[in-house]
Amino acid sequence: MPAVDTPLPSPPSGENAADAPRVDTRFLESLIGYNARRAALAIIGHVLQRLAPFGLRVVDFSVLTVIAHNPGITSRQVCAALDILPPNLVGLVRALERRGWVEKRGHPTDRRAQGLYVTPQGAEVQAQAQAQVGALETSDVTHLDAGERATLIRLLRKIYLGPDA
């Protein structure tokens, strides 16, 4: 928690410092969740711009990417990997199928399950979208160098995966 004498944050740029009220957010800024959410919002805006030409939302891109990188993955595995509820995934997969980007085929080892695969068109869209999103992970957007980026990812994964991540 910040010390009591920590200076208040500066007013947002573009506002006259004399006219802008000082807002005390020191407690919020001491919270991991608050900072993680603010950082996510700062990056998501850029991601949405990059995904817009493909007509993809972040969740669509995530599902398409997991399927592309794991041919034959089951819906249950996608749900577990992305922490998506099964009823929500059904609609996402159907939408990707309608666009011709994903298809279901019999699972190679489990006759009761269906594997998910990207189509050639889906693979092309996913690769282009991945290149766009990957390009955002630069110091220009994140303000982190490679070492800081790796440390932040390691620490965030430790929070959501546990101490053995």
Side-chain angles (χ1 to χ4, degrees), residues 54 56 64 96-97 99-103 117-119 121-122 125:
F54 306 102
L56 289 169
L64 187 62
L96 294 172
E97 284 180 300
R99 295 180 84 172
W101 296 348
V102 168
E103 62 186 12
Y117 297 84
V118 292
T119 64
Q121 182 185 9
V125 168

Side-chain angles (χ1 to χ4, degrees), residues 38-154:
R38 291 291 304 264
L41 289 172
I43 293 173
I44 294 285
H46 295 283
V47 171
L48 291 173
Q49 289 176 345
R50 298 288 178 102
L51 293 177
F54 306 102
L56 289 169
R57 299 170 301 159
V58 174
V59 68
D60 303 318
F61 171 71
S62 298
V63 170
L64 187 62
T65 297
V66 166
I67 295 169
H69 289 272
N70 299 276
I73 191 169
T74 65
S75 293
R76 178 175 284 174
Q77 291 170 310
V78 174
C79 287
L82 298 177
D83 198 18
I84 296 175
L85 295 173
N88 296 338
L89 183 66
V90 170
L92 292 166
V93 170
R94 280 191 186 138
L96 294 172
E97 284 180 300
R98 281 193 301 272
R99 295 180 84 172
W101 296 348
V102 168
E103 62 186 12
K104 294 177 186 170
R105 296 186 217 149
H107 193 272
T109 60
D110 184 350
R111 291 189 331 232
R112 299 169 295 156
Q114 290 185 312
L116 298 170
Y117 297 84
V118 292
T119 64
Q121 182 185 9
E124 180 64 26
V125 168
Q126 190 283 326
Q128 289 176 18
Q130 180 174 303
Q132 290 292 316
V133 171
L136 291 172
E137 296 279 322
T138 65
S139 61
D140 292 342
V141 174
T142 64
H143 313 292
L144 302 174
D145 64 33
E148 291 169 327
R149 180 180 177 278
T151 298
L152 178 59
I153 289 171
R154 181 181 57 76

